[in-house]
Amino acid sequence: MPREIITIQAGQCGNQIGTEFWERLCLEHGISSDGILEDFATSGNDRKDVFFYQADDDHYIPRSILVDLEPRVINNIIESPYGNLHNPENIYLSNDGSGAGNNWASGFSQGERVFEDILEMLDREADNSDSLEGFNLLHSIAGGTGSGLGSFLLERLSDRYPKKLLQTYSVFPNNEDSSDVVVQPYNSLLALKRLAKNADCVMVLDNAALTRIVADRLHIQNPDITHTNQLVSTVLSASTMTLRYPSYMNNDLASMLAPLIPVPKCHFISTAYTPFTSNNAETAKVVRKTTVLDVMRRLLQPKNKMVSTTPTKSSCYISILNIIQGDVEPTEVHKSLLRIRERRIAQFIPWGPASIQVALTKRSPYLQSQHRVSGLMLANHTSIAGLFSRTVLQYDRLRKRNAFLDLYRREPIFADGLDEFDDSRDVVQDLIAEYRACESENYLKPTTTTTTAFA
């Protein structure tokens, strides 16, 4: 029985990533831009039902909710070749169309007003599912709608569907360059609190790393949003491949996430992919030969990771899941794991099993690939705390000057004070401390307090 997943696309970034994702899924399952199954794809053994359902006229419709507070991006989707793919009843646009103005507090407050309408869409999709497993939220944490409204949705979804998995694909801002959004550190910190407390798993996609990969690996000197979104859609597609082309293991979301997240608090997952290709880049570097060992070694290289972190000597992997696609023999995987272990390429936590989990999955028969093997790594690594530390540092700089706080005080959540900021900072600081603690051998040992007996 398929375990369905409902995808929520929030804000400009979420909807742009979602558009690329659904285009790729249609190509991988042999579905046309109008949702009609192509003649050559009628005898496939894939599970389309996880992300699509069939309408009365046999069209395939995505299990998706499109949400935005300003109309530009969603209007572009409606006018695109894939405009007829989505269910029009599952598209929510704010009536005034003014957006959230890159203000987390505005997006969160508007969530209070519009949630009933969005909830009706979510409940309808959930009721249409035979065995709903969870929700995917696609969003950015730096702006207003994806960050603020996305935070509100996470809070309400975890209350309303406590037994369903909440997974997010969260695009983190480029902290290395100056941003058009001056209040980006405020928005990021406030959203991080919800990701830490309400999500079961967060796939971290760092804009700085994505831009670097496009420039370095695809040889595009002035990358635009189309190139980075295509990378994100590749990760989205590869990370759901075992659900859509199932094998004997990792064929539902829970079995994928369980070994990745042994500590519930540490549920921020970084990704790496190889080999990179792009429809928009003729100059993409070509990997001449791909073996399982070659792919698994490349996945562990920092230049292929989609998060910009600087590991310290004590940084280590909590867990790794490699999703290997292509024509692969299990014996190849076993030999590759032995070689990686011998050379100690990956450093693991001292208090848990030091092993790389591997999931083998089929490729879509409808998409031609120039590589025999490709791979996606989902890794839980303690160096991710560095990304959160940078966010806190930038927040502290702004807060020290009390800059731009009037924008937030106008909204109800900050009407009685700025405690929400302080609380969010504490939550993120606890998260950083938890990841740092994971690097210690004594992590699982209870802290004992010595008591002195008096005669």
Side-chain angles (χ1 to χ4, degrees):
M1 179 185 286
R3 303 296 310 276
E4 298 93 350
I5 294 170
I6 295 171
T7 303
I8 305 163
Q9 303 169 196
Q12 176 182 335
C13 178
N15 280 294
Q16 286 173 334
I17 292 168
T19 302
E20 295 277 350
F21 174 56
W22 291 113
E23 284 183 24
R24 189 171 179 92
L25 252 59
C26 286
L27 292 172
E28 288 184 358
H29 290 287
I31 297 170
S32 73
S33 58
D34 291 329
I36 300 167
L37 194 64
E38 303 280 10
D39 294 337
F40 57 77
T42 51
S43 59
N45 59 352
D46 52 345
R47 289 202 315 207
K48 302 176 187 69
D49 297 7
V50 176
F51 285 96
F52 294 90
Y53 63 90
Q54 275 185 284
D56 292 342
D57 59 0
D58 288 338
H59 278 58
Y60 279 91
I61 297 175
R63 299 182 190 276
S64 62
I65 311 290
L66 282 64
V67 181
D68 208 348
L69 298 176
E70 60 102 13
R72 182 174 55 85
V73 175
I74 288 183
N75 283 345
N76 288 342
I77 294 171
I78 294 168
E79 291 163 11
S80 73
Y82 285 82
N84 294 327
L85 186 67
H86 297 277
N87 180 357
E89 291 184 327
N90 286 0
I91 296 175
Y92 181 83
L93 279 171
S94 175
N95 290 329
D96 58 10
S98 59
N102 288 323
N103 183 339
W104 181 93
S106 174
F108 192 87
S109 299
Q110 290 188 60
E112 297 264 10
R113 297 195 290 273
V114 306
F115 184 66
E116 289 302 320
D117 294 329
I118 298 171
L119 184 65
E120 186 187 333
M121 298 175 189
L122 289 165
D123 285 345
R124 185 177 66 246
E125 285 298 320
D127 292 342
N128 284 342
S129 306
D130 292 328
S131 179
L132 179 67
E133 184 164 30
F135 300 89
N136 271 351
L137 173 65
L138 315 182
H139 71 136
S140 160
I141 69 163
T145 305
S147 178
L149 180 59
S151 296
F152 187 84
L153 291 174
L154 278 175
E155 285 187 359
R156 290 306 173 92
L157 281 172
S158 61
D159 287 342
R160 191 169 184 85
Y161 295 96
K163 294 186 178 178
K164 304 302 178 189
L165 288 171
L166 275 181
Q167 184 181 27
T168 76
Y169 288 83
S170 303
V171 178
F172 280 60
N174 186 346
N175 288 328
E176 294 167 9
D177 296 333
S178 58
S179 167
D180 295 337
V181 184
V182 288
V183 291
Q184 178 177 287
Y186 289 158
N187 296 338
S188 299
L189 190 87
L190 291 162
L192 264 174
K193 174 189 170 183
R194 276 75 190 175
L195 291 175
K197 296 185 80 171
N198 300 112
D200 295 302
C201 174
V202 178
M203 298 289 182
V204 178
L205 299 154
D206 178 15
N207 252 336
L210 293 171
T211 306
R212 172 182 50 74
I213 287 167
V214 171
D216 177 43
R217 314 301 290 165
L218 302 182
H219 268 206
I220 299 167
Q221 294 313 315
N222 297 309
D224 61 23
I225 203 161
T226 313
H227 298 115
T228 53
N229 284 350
Q230 196 172 43
L231 281 189
V232 174
S233 74
T234 304
V235 171
L236 276 160
S237 161
S239 65
T240 59
M241 190 60 90
T242 57
L243 314 179
R244 298 179 287 114
Y245 284 87
S247 60
Y248 60 94
M249 280 179 68
N250 301 107
N251 51 19
D252 63 7
L253 199 55
S255 64
M256 267 181 63
L257 299 184
L260 268 177
I261 306 171
V263 182
K265 207 170 183 180
C266 299
H267 57 251
F268 289 80
I269 307 298
S270 53
T271 59
Y273 187 83
T274 189
F276 289 108
T277 54
S278 173
N279 298 338
N280 303 327
E282 298 299 324
T283 54
K285 288 183 180 176
V286 177
V287 179
R288 297 292 174 194
K289 184 180 179 183
T290 52
T291 63
V292 176
L293 176 60
D294 183 55
V295 165
M296 289 172 87
R297 284 174 63 182
R298 284 173 187 274
L299 288 173
L300 291 165
Q301 293 171 354
K303 62 186 177 186
N304 290 320
K305 293 180 183 174
M306 299 194 186
V307 177
S308 293
T309 55
T310 308
T312 62
K313 284 184 180 178
S314 57
S315 296
C316 50
Y317 287 99
I318 297 172
S319 56
I320 296 177
L321 172 64
N322 282 346
I323 298 173
I324 306 294
Q325 298 179 42
D327 184 18
V328 176
E329 291 292 326
T331 50
E332 279 187 84
V333 175
H334 185 62
K335 287 177 184 173
S336 302
L337 288 171
L338 283 175
R339 291 283 292 278
I340 286 171
R341 189 175 294 175
E342 285 166 9
R343 297 187 181 185
R344 297 187 176 181
I345 299 172
Q347 185 181 346
F348 279 86
I349 44 172
W351 47 269
S355 64
I356 297 174
Q357 309 270 337
V358 178
L360 299 181
T361 180
K362 304 181 190 80
R363 270 219 179 93
S364 166
Y366 316 121
L367 272 183
Q368 295 301 312
S369 174
Q370 64 199 60
H371 305 288
R372 188 177 77 86
V373 183
S374 60
L376 171 76
M377 178 176 75
L378 303 176
N380 199 342
H381 196 275
T382 59
S383 67
I384 197 91
L387 188 66
F388 308 142
S389 295
R390 287 206 302 266
T391 303
V392 171
L393 184 67
Q394 289 194 326
Y395 163 80
D396 286 344
R397 283 177 190 158
L398 271 185
R399 186 69 197 276
K400 196 175 178 182
R401 307 198 315 264
N402 287 328
F404 310 110
L405 290 176
D406 288 346
L407 299 169
Y408 293 82
R409 287 195 178 99
R410 294 173 195 162
E411 303 299 336
I413 190 169
F414 291 103
D416 299 326
L418 300 173
D419 293 346
E420 185 60 39
F421 275 125
D422 300 328
D423 188 39
S424 297
R425 191 188 186 286
D426 290 344
V427 168
V428 177
Q429 207 63 55
D430 285 348
L431 183 63
I432 295 167
E434 190 75 21
Y435 269 108
R436 296 281 182 246
C438 283
E439 299 170 355
S440 165
E441 286 182 28
N442 302 321
Y443 178 68
L444 294 180
K445 292 179 182 176
T447 52
T448 54
T449 54
T450 54
T451 55
T452 307
F454 292 96

Coordinates of all heavy atoms in Angstrom, one line a residue, residues 180-230:
D180 N 19.6 41.4 -0.1 CA 18.6 42.4 -0.3 C 17.7 42.5 0.9 O 17.1 43.6 1.1 CB 17.8 42.1 -1.6 CG 18.7 42.2 -2.8 OD1 19.7 42.8 -2.8 OD2 18.3 41.5 -3.8
V181 N 17.6 41.4 1.6 CA 16.7 41.4 2.8 C 17.5 41.7 4.0 O 18.2 40.8 4.6 CB 16.0 40.0 2.9 CG1 15.0 40.0 4.0 CG2 15.3 39.6 1.6
V182 N 17.4 42.9 4.5 CA 18.3 43.3 5.6 C 17.9 42.6 6.9 O 18.7 42.4 7.8 CB 18.2 44.8 5.8 CG1 19.0 45.5 4.8 CG2 16.8 45.4 6.0
V183 N 16.6 42.2 7.0 CA 16.1 41.6 8.3 C 16.2 40.0 8.2 O 15.6 39.3 9.0 CB 14.7 42.0 8.6 CG1 14.6 43.5 9.0 CG2 13.7 41.7 7.4
Q184 N 17.0 39.6 7.2 CA 17.2 38.1 7.0 C 17.6 37.4 8.3 O 17.0 36.3 8.6 CB 18.2 38.0 6.0 CG 18.6 36.6 5.6 CD 19.7 36.6 4.5 OE1 19.3 36.9 3.3 NE2 20.9 36.4 4.8
P185 N 18.5 37.9 9.2 CA 18.8 37.1 10.4 C 17.7 37.0 11.4 O 17.5 36.0 12.0 CB 20.0 38.0 11.0 CG 20.6 38.7 9.9 CD 19.4 39.0 8.9
Y186 N 16.8 38.0 11.5 CA 15.6 37.9 12.3 C 14.7 36.8 11.8 O 14.3 36.0 12.6 CB 14.9 39.3 12.3 CG 15.5 40.4 13.0 CD1 15.2 41.7 12.7 CD2 16.4 40.2 14.0 CE1 15.7 42.8 13.4 CE2 17.0 41.3 14.7 CZ 16.7 42.6 14.4 OH 17.2 43.6 15.0
N187 N 14.4 36.9 10.5 CA 13.5 35.9 9.9 C 14.0 34.5 10.1 O 13.3 33.5 10.4 CB 13.3 36.2 8.4 CG 12.6 37.5 8.2 OD1 11.9 38.1 9.0 ND2 12.8 38.1 7.0
S188 N 15.3 34.3 9.8 CA 16.0 33.0 9.9 C 15.9 32.4 11.3 O 15.5 31.2 11.5 CB 17.4 33.0 9.4 OG 17.5 33.5 8.1
L189 N 16.2 33.2 12.3 CA 16.2 32.8 13.7 C 14.8 32.4 14.1 O 14.6 31.3 14.8 CB 16.7 33.9 14.6 CG 17.0 33.4 16.0 CD1 18.4 32.8 16.1 CD2 16.9 34.6 17.0
L190 N 13.8 33.2 13.8 CA 12.4 32.9 14.2 C 11.9 31.6 13.5 O 11.2 30.8 14.1 CB 11.5 34.1 13.8 CG 11.8 35.4 14.7 CD1 11.2 36.6 13.9 CD2 11.2 35.2 16.1
A191 N 12.3 31.4 12.2 CA 11.9 30.2 11.5 C 12.6 29.0 12.1 O 12.0 27.9 12.2 CB 12.1 30.3 10.0
L192 N 13.9 29.2 12.5 CA 14.7 28.0 13.0 C 14.1 27.4 14.3 O 14.1 26.2 14.5 CB 16.1 28.5 13.3 CG 17.2 28.2 12.2 CD1 18.5 28.8 12.6 CD2 17.3 26.7 12.0
K193 N 13.5 28.3 15.1 CA 12.8 27.8 16.3 C 11.7 26.8 15.9 O 11.6 25.7 16.6 CB 12.2 29.0 17.1 CG 11.4 28.5 18.3 CD 10.6 29.7 18.9 CE 9.6 29.2 20.0 NZ 8.8 30.2 20.6
R194 N 10.9 27.1 14.9 CA 9.8 26.2 14.5 C 10.4 24.9 13.9 O 9.8 23.8 14.1 CB 8.9 26.9 13.6 CG 7.8 27.7 14.3 CD 8.3 29.0 14.8 NE 7.4 29.7 15.7 CZ 7.7 30.8 16.4 NH1 8.9 31.3 16.3 NH2 6.8 31.3 17.2
L195 N 11.4 25.1 13.1 CA 12.0 23.9 12.5 C 12.6 23.0 13.5 O 12.5 21.8 13.4 CB 13.2 24.3 11.5 CG 12.7 25.1 10.2 CD1 13.9 25.5 9.4 CD2 11.8 24.2 9.4
A196 N 13.2 23.6 14.6 CA 13.7 22.7 15.7 C 12.6 22.1 16.5 O 12.8 20.9 16.9 CB 14.6 23.6 16.6
K197 N 11.5 22.8 16.7 CA 10.5 22.2 17.7 C 9.4 21.5 17.0 O 8.8 20.6 17.6 CB 9.9 23.4 18.5 CG 10.9 24.1 19.4 CD 10.3 25.1 20.3 CE 9.6 24.5 21.5 NZ 9.2 25.5 22.4
N198 N 9.0 21.8 15.8 CA 7.8 21.3 15.1 C 8.1 20.3 14.0 O 7.2 19.5 13.7 CB 6.9 22.4 14.7 CG 6.5 23.3 15.8 OD1 6.8 24.5 15.8 ND2 5.7 22.8 16.7
A199 N 9.2 20.3 13.4 CA 9.5 19.4 12.2 C 10.2 18.2 12.7 O 10.9 18.2 13.7 CB 10.4 20.1 11.2
D200 N 9.9 17.1 12.0 CA 10.6 15.8 12.3 C 11.9 15.6 11.6 O 12.8 15.0 12.1 CB 9.6 14.6 11.9 CG 8.4 14.6 12.8 OD1 8.5 14.5 14.0 OD2 7.3 14.7 12.2
C201 N 12.0 16.3 10.4 CA 13.2 16.2 9.7 C 13.3 17.5 8.8 O 12.3 17.9 8.2 CB 13.2 15.0 8.8 SG 14.6 14.9 7.6
V202 N 14.5 18.1 8.8 CA 14.7 19.3 8.0 C 15.9 19.0 7.0 O 17.0 18.7 7.4 CB 15.1 20.5 8.9 CG1 15.4 21.7 8.0 CG2 14.0 20.8 9.8
M203 N 15.6 19.0 5.7 CA 16.7 18.9 4.7 C 17.2 20.3 4.5 O 16.5 21.2 4.0 CB 16.1 18.3 3.4 CG 15.6 16.9 3.5 SD 16.8 15.7 3.8 CE 15.9 14.2 3.8
V204 N 18.4 20.5 4.9 CA 19.0 21.9 4.8 C 19.7 22.1 3.4 O 20.5 21.3 3.0 CB 20.1 22.0 5.9 CG1 20.8 23.4 5.8 CG2 19.5 21.9 7.3
L205 N 19.2 23.1 2.7 CA 19.8 23.5 1.4 C 20.3 24.9 1.5 O 19.5 25.8 1.8 CB 18.7 23.4 0.4 CG 18.1 22.0 0.2 CD1 16.7 22.0 -0.4 CD2 19.0 21.1 -0.7
D206 N 21.6 25.1 1.4 CA 22.2 26.3 1.7 C 22.5 27.1 0.4 O 23.2 26.6 -0.5 CB 23.5 26.0 2.5 CG 24.3 27.3 2.8 OD1 23.7 28.4 2.7 OD2 25.5 27.2 3.2
N207 N 22.0 28.3 0.3 CA 22.1 29.0 -1.0 C 23.6 29.3 -1.3 O 23.9 29.3 -2.5 CB 21.4 30.4 -0.9 CG 20.1 30.4 -1.7 OD1 20.0 29.6 -2.7 ND2 19.2 31.2 -1.4
A208 N 24.4 29.5 -0.3 CA 25.8 29.8 -0.6 C 26.5 28.6 -1.3 O 27.2 28.7 -2.3 CB 26.6 30.1 0.7
A209 N 26.2 27.4 -0.7 CA 26.8 26.1 -1.3 C 26.2 25.8 -2.7 O 26.9 25.4 -3.6 CB 26.5 25.0 -0.4
L210 N 24.9 26.1 -2.9 CA 24.2 25.8 -4.2 C 24.9 26.7 -5.2 O 25.2 26.2 -6.3 CB 22.7 26.1 -4.1 CG 21.9 25.1 -3.2 CD1 20.5 25.6 -3.0 CD2 21.9 23.7 -3.8
T211 N 25.1 28.0 -4.9 CA 25.7 28.9 -5.9 C 27.1 28.5 -6.2 O 27.5 28.5 -7.4 CB 25.7 30.3 -5.3 OG1 24.3 30.7 -4.9 CG2 26.1 31.4 -6.3
R212 N 27.8 28.1 -5.2 CA 29.2 27.6 -5.4 C 29.3 26.4 -6.3 O 30.1 26.3 -7.2 CB 29.9 27.3 -4.0 CG 31.2 26.6 -4.2 CD 31.8 26.3 -2.8 NE 30.9 25.6 -1.9 CZ 30.6 24.3 -2.0 NH1 31.1 23.6 -3.0 NH2 29.8 23.7 -1.2
I213 N 28.4 25.4 -6.1 CA 28.3 24.2 -6.9 C 28.0 24.5 -8.3 O 28.6 24.0 -9.3 CB 27.3 23.2 -6.3 CG1 27.8 22.6 -5.0 CG2 27.0 22.1 -7.3 CD1 26.8 21.9 -4.2
V214 N 27.0 25.4 -8.6 CA 26.7 25.8 -9.9 C 27.9 26.4 -10.6 O 28.1 26.1 -11.8 CB 25.4 26.7 -9.9 CG1 25.2 27.3 -11.3 CG2 24.2 26.0 -9.5
A215 N 28.6 27.3 -9.9 CA 29.7 28.0 -10.5 C 30.9 27.0 -10.8 O 31.5 27.0 -11.8 CB 30.2 29.1 -9.6
D216 N 31.2 26.1 -9.8 CA 32.3 25.3 -9.9 C 32.1 24.0 -10.7 O 32.9 23.7 -11.6 CB 32.8 24.9 -8.4 CG 34.0 24.0 -8.4 OD1 34.9 24.2 -9.2 OD2 34.0 23.0 -7.6
R217 N 31.0 23.3 -10.3 CA 30.8 22.0 -11.0 C 30.1 22.1 -12.3 O 30.3 21.3 -13.2 CB 29.9 21.1 -10.1 CG 30.4 21.1 -8.6 CD 31.8 20.6 -8.4 NE 31.9 19.2 -8.7 CZ 33.1 18.6 -8.9 NH1 34.2 19.3 -8.8 NH2 33.2 17.3 -9.1
L218 N 29.3 23.1 -12.5 CA 28.6 23.3 -13.8 C 29.2 24.4 -14.7 O 28.8 24.6 -15.8 CB 27.1 23.6 -13.6 CG 26.3 22.6 -12.8 CD1 24.9 23.0 -12.6 CD2 26.4 21.2 -13.4
H219 N 30.3 25.0 -14.2 CA 31.0 26.0 -14.9 C 30.1 27.2 -15.4 O 30.2 27.6 -16.6 CB 31.7 25.4 -16.1 CG 33.1 25.0 -15.8 ND1 34.1 24.9 -16.7 CD2 33.7 24.6 -14.6 CE1 35.2 24.5 -16.1 NE2 35.0 24.3 -14.8
I220 N 29.2 27.6 -14.6 CA 28.3 28.8 -14.9 C 28.8 29.9 -14.0 O 28.6 29.9 -12.8 CB 26.8 28.4 -14.7 CG1 26.4 27.3 -15.6 CG2 26.0 29.6 -15.0 CD1 25.1 26.7 -15.3
Q221 N 29.4 31.0 -14.6 CA 30.0 32.0 -13.8 C 29.0 32.9 -13.1 O 29.2 33.5 -12.1 CB 30.9 32.8 -14.7 CG 32.1 32.0 -15.1 CD 32.8 31.2 -14.0 OE1 33.0 31.7 -12.9 NE2 33.1 29.9 -14.3
N222 N 27.8 33.2 -13.8 CA 26.8 34.0 -13.2 C 25.5 33.2 -13.0 O 24.6 33.4 -13.8 CB 26.5 35.2 -14.1 CG 27.8 36.1 -14.2 OD1 28.4 36.5 -13.2 ND2 28.2 36.4 -15.4
P223 N 25.5 32.3 -12.0 CA 24.3 31.4 -11.9 C 23.1 32.2 -11.5 O 23.2 33.2 -10.7 CB 24.8 30.5 -10.8 CG 25.9 31.2 -10.0 CD 26.5 32.1 -11.0
D224 N 22.0 31.8 -12.1 CA 20.7 32.5 -11.6 C 19.9 31.4 -10.9 O 20.3 30.3 -10.7 CB 19.9 33.0 -12.8 CG 19.6 32.0 -13.9 OD1 19.5 30.8 -13.5 OD2 19.3 32.3 -15.0
I225 N 18.7 31.9 -10.5 CA 17.9 31.1 -9.6 C 17.4 29.8 -10.3 O 17.2 28.7 -9.6 CB 16.6 31.9 -9.1 CG1 16.1 31.3 -7.8 CG2 15.6 32.0 -10.2 CD1 15.2 32.3 -7.1
T226 N 17.3 29.8 -11.6 CA 16.9 28.6 -12.4 C 17.9 27.4 -12.2 O 17.5 26.3 -12.0 CB 16.8 28.9 -13.9 OG1 16.1 30.1 -14.1 CG2 16.1 27.8 -14.6
H227 N 19.2 27.8 -12.2 CA 20.2 26.7 -12.0 C 20.2 26.1 -10.6 O 20.3 24.9 -10.4 CB 21.6 27.3 -12.3 CG 21.8 27.8 -13.7 ND1 22.0 29.2 -14.0 CD2 21.7 27.2 -14.9 CE1 22.1 29.3 -15.3 NE2 21.9 28.1 -15.9
T228 N 20.1 27.0 -9.6 CA 20.1 26.5 -8.2 C 18.8 25.7 -7.9 O 18.8 24.7 -7.3 CB 20.2 27.6 -7.2 OG1 19.3 28.6 -7.4 CG2 21.6 28.2 -7.3
N229 N 17.7 26.2 -8.5 CA 16.4 25.4 -8.3 C 16.5 24.1 -8.9 O 15.9 23.1 -8.4 CB 15.2 26.2 -8.8 CG 14.9 27.4 -7.9 OD1 15.4 27.5 -6.8 ND2 14.0 28.3 -8.4
Q230 N 17.2 24.0 -10.0 CA 17.3 22.7 -10.7 C 18.1 21.7 -9.8 O 17.8 20.5 -9.8 CB 17.9 22.8 -12.1 CG 17.7 21.6 -12.9 CD 18.2 21.8 -14.4 OE1 19.3 22.4 -14.6 NE2 17.4 21.4 -15.3

